[in-house]
Amino acid sequence: MFEGYEERSSDSPFVHRVWRCRSARAGSFLSIAAGQVEIVLARVRETSVLTVRGPETTPAMIDYPSDAEWIGIQFSLGTFMPRLLPMLLRDRADVNLPDASSRSFWLNGSAMAYPTFDHAETRWRWDLTRIYAKGYTDNVITSGGVLEPGLAFLQKPFTPASLASKVREVLDAPVPVGKQLP
């Protein structure tokens, strides 16, 4: 089974939690259904693979190798990468991002350093988008009652048509390359 599992919360509104663990022996585990998108860096001996995983609607048994370590970045609900939409990643339709070097990977034409457990949010950049709906406390999405620049907001109650319209608006907006996480 896994050894040394550790997790921490994040101050970033885009990141729910960051976790890490390692394995001494090969095995399998039950991956529970989850609604968030997650980035997982797997290191197996000399090889590193960065995977973007989507929501899972059902639990699944997952095999894992021996002598491996993982760092995971679980995004907050509603956070997604516009070029890797959650619906395209759903139920283990994972995407492995290509290596740029032994310490970096390619994302949207830029080489990015692999994340570390301690600096998953601040040391490198993601192109992330999030749609906020009323129900969040004011200090999460506003500063002095004013919506922070670049944040999308959808007033509740909303219809499926207004949700679809807001998602289309966010996807059609220009994505700043290398947007820094707060």
Side-chain angles (χ1 to χ4, degrees), residues 39-43 46-51 71 73 97-106 111-117 119-120 123-124 126:
I39 303 290
V40 178
L41 172 60
R43 288 194 170 109
E46 301 292 319
T47 304
S48 296
V49 177
L50 193 104
T51 302
I71 296 172
I73 303 167
L97 299 178
D99 287 336
S101 73
S102 62
R103 294 183 294 213
S104 62
F105 64 96
W106 289 106
M112 309 269 215
Y114 284 127
T116 65
F117 180 75
H119 303 288
R123 207 164 155 208
W124 54 301
W126 290 105

Side-chain angles (χ1 to χ4, degrees), residues 70-82:
W70 296 268
I71 296 172
I73 303 167
Q74 186 180 58
F75 295 145
S76 300
L77 283 173
T79 300
F80 61 96
M81 300 171 77

Side-chain angles (χ1 to χ4, degrees), residues 83-153:
R83 295 180 182 148
L84 294 170
L85 296 174
M87 67 185 135
L88 302 176
L89 301 169
R90 188 178 65 196
D91 292 329
R92 306 290 299 157
D94 303 343
V95 172
N96 292 335
L97 299 178
D99 287 336
S101 73
S102 62
R103 294 183 294 213
S104 62
F105 64 96
W106 289 106
L107 177 66
N108 300 332
S110 297
M112 309 269 215
Y114 284 127
T116 65
F117 180 75
D118 295 324
H119 303 288
E121 309 92 324
T122 58
R123 207 164 155 208
W124 54 301
R125 304 184 240 249
W126 290 105
D127 287 332
L128 297 172
T129 299
R130 186 169 189 189
I131 297 176
Y132 290 93
K134 189 171 180 174
Y136 284 92
T137 59
D138 287 342
N139 62 349
V140 171
I141 62 171
T142 65
S143 176
V146 177
L147 193 64
E148 297 287 333
L151 294 183
F153 180 74

